[in-house]
Amino acid sequence: MRPIAILLAMLAWPGGEATAGPAAESYTWRNVAIGGGGFVTGIEFHPAERGLAYARTDVGGAYRWDATARRWIPLTDWLGRDDANLTGIESIAVDPSDPRRLYLAAGTYTHERAGNGAILRSSDCGATFQRSDLPFKLGGNELGRGNGERLAVDPNDGRVLFLGSRAHGLWRSDDHGARWSRVEAFPALATGESATAIGWRKQHIGIVFVTFDAASGKAGAPTPVVYAGVSSREGGLFRSTDAGRTWQAVPGQPTGLRPNHMVGDGRGDFLLSYGDEPGPDRMNDGAVWRWSPASGAWTEITPAPQSSDLEGDGFGWGAVAVARGNPDVIVATTFNRWAPRDDIYRSTDGGRSWKPVFERSRFDHTASPWTAQAKPHWMADVEIDPHDPDRVLFVTGYGLWASRDMTAFDRGATVNWIFDDAGLDETVPLDLVSPPQGAPLVSGLGDIDGFRHDDLQRTTTQFARPPRYSNTESLDYAGLDPLLLVRAGHLHHPDPATVRAAYSRDGGSTWTAFTREPPASEGEGRLAIAVSADGSRAVWQARGGPHWTTEDFGGRWREVRGLPASAVVAADRFQPARWYGFDPASGRLFTSDDGGESFAQARDGVDAIAGGFRGELLPSPEKAGEVFFAAASRGLMRWGEGGLERLPGVENAFAAGLGAPRPGSSTPALFVHGQVDGAVGLYRSDDGGREWVRIDDARHRFGGLRMLTGDSRVHGRVYLATGGRGIIYGEPNP
């Protein structure tokens, strides 16, 4: 048999789907390098194939580790707009008896607007997938998303899989995940009140892991002994001794805490981690226990006691792992231990004694320098490489870390950690600009503020403090002075001392906070900011509140006249006095010729656009007095001196952007994510919208796109703000 790594290199993705529409142009797609940035919720090593591992994320899809290239390969970029809900991965499972088989339980949310989940099954390590739709929803970005694994393959009979759902009990497949049926005999605790939790809304947590006792069976037949854990404080561990037909509560188990992970230790015992809440938002108590089926004994092996020195210093235990070749070697992660910090505890005597690892650790931030400002948290999973005991991986809310020399710790030496996230750029971009001077791209991101991207393929400069925002939600540059940037940001934890708007005169290398925010500026939701062509005036708004204008970066504010609160605004790139407004709620258009002090309704307009449409205005970078905007089912609009024109061929425009003209032309490249001639995809036009070429393909859909923009200097290059796969950029192939 060929090694898996060679086999993967030989596999080819199926060709582009047969659809109607314009001609296609081949593009190469890459991530703008950030390095991490989002919550990696789980890691799975294949027990039989060295170097084969997978990672799942809460909103950014699944990845396979390429041991040769030492980077993560995205596996779910083929999911398109209609399947964006499947980019949150609830659980991941490998088949211990067949390294080629991989299964993903996909589905991001369980609220009423979300679609049902699906099982994505692969027989080529994730190069291609088949899909089995489920009759219920999954919650890859909900409470308990770091628990697991909910999906498991029988190690003795790869045809058999179990899936623990959040609100619909236990499910079973006997044909490699193609068809599923509910296990009616599973106890009702899984769907009861105690298996729910309160976050931003009440959520079902349900069954959080399924674990097989492989030693109880033999190859070729279903494993008799199976365990399943329910996130309940009422005793959530259940066992079946007849391959899942009937279930009983395990006697003597701890109560008062919720189980979240369970692993076998090689000698026939099982280790479980517990928390009082499912995480990641809260976890204030927890424990680690050993269950010995042979004797029926439960033994607490919690690595560290709760602290009573600091108020509110309670914490739980995120995960536990055991070395494959030595059941005495165990690691466990604290969870939500904010003081002094979260840590990994390591035992080499089966849990009788433990040592904290980070006290003797060195973290290398070279790959992603911005991580020096973060500290490990949300450590919901930890894994010891079954083929290399020196390699231990743990997840965080911003990526994952890997040790190079974990066994050195046992000899009293320091452990070296690397931020092993190459290729795993799981961020949510909120705004992008490509100014004609300075860095080719400047980004506003969720949770990690924003970046100036001087080199698209290397992690570059995170916005310098001060200020530091949780999210940079809006960016703009001055058309006649493009090194002058403005940004507006959100704080997860409001701080009256931090002004939520800032400006830069050097293209985003350094920033200065505005003097103050306007009065009555406490509006909830997205902040928006725009700057005039000469940089002399900015307009700022907190959604739901009025627009405000300033000529001295926040020293004095005046309320803008004539604009509804739901309108978005933009400045002409060449005329400092000229501003534009668009109200998606009514479809009305507005103009200002006094620098944004006041607006008047234009004679043109479109029908109201419902559904939280972004409504972004795109002033032309090549021509004064011209602006474009995507208008959903009203298509792509061009608005100028001749009035409002709907560009032909675009039936539905979800997002649009402008880029550099092709050589010899002064017409900006138009990019649109929408429906053109009946086919939904990504398109480019170089002649003002008369003709379009399709630039995405069957492998590259990237789920839901929040926005896009072209590069202002490189013709054909386009940047995509995804819903969780970071910033993607595409360039035409030669």
Side-chain angles (χ1 to χ4, degrees), residues 96-107:
S97 62
D98 186 349
R100 295 176 181 82
R101 290 193 181 272
L102 168 70
Y103 301 88
L104 307 177

Side-chain angles (χ1 to χ4, degrees), residues 701-716:
R701 297 284 191 252
F702 307 114
L705 299 180
R706 303 175 66 90
M707 66 167 297
L708 55 88
T709 189
D711 190 287
S712 63
R713 284 164 275 183
V714 179
H715 173 252

Side-chain angles (χ1 to χ4, degrees), residues 281-332:
D281 295 2
R282 294 190 304 274
M283 196 180 290
N284 302 308
D285 195 4
V288 179
W289 286 82
R290 176 187 296 279
W291 155 240
S292 302
S295 65
W298 284 88
T299 306
E300 185 175 3
I301 57 170
T302 304
Q306 294 289 335
S307 171
S308 59
D309 297 334
L310 296 173
E311 184 179 354
D313 191 35
F315 59 93
W317 292 89
V320 61
V322 61
R324 182 183 184 187
N326 186 349
D328 282 334
V329 174
I330 310 170
V331 290

Side-chain angles (χ1 to χ4, degrees), residues 613 629-636 650-656 672-675:
F613 188 71
F629 62 95
S633 61
R634 285 72 169 159
L636 183 62
V650 182
E651 292 105 18
N652 204 331
F654 312 125
V672 67
H673 177 223
Q675 182 176 325

Side-chain angles (χ1 to χ4, degrees), residues 515-538:
T515 304
R516 63 180 62 86
E517 295 180 14
S521 62
E522 294 81 15
E524 294 297 326
R526 183 177 183 269
L527 300 174
I529 196 165
V531 65
S532 62
D534 61 358
S536 65
R537 187 187 297 270

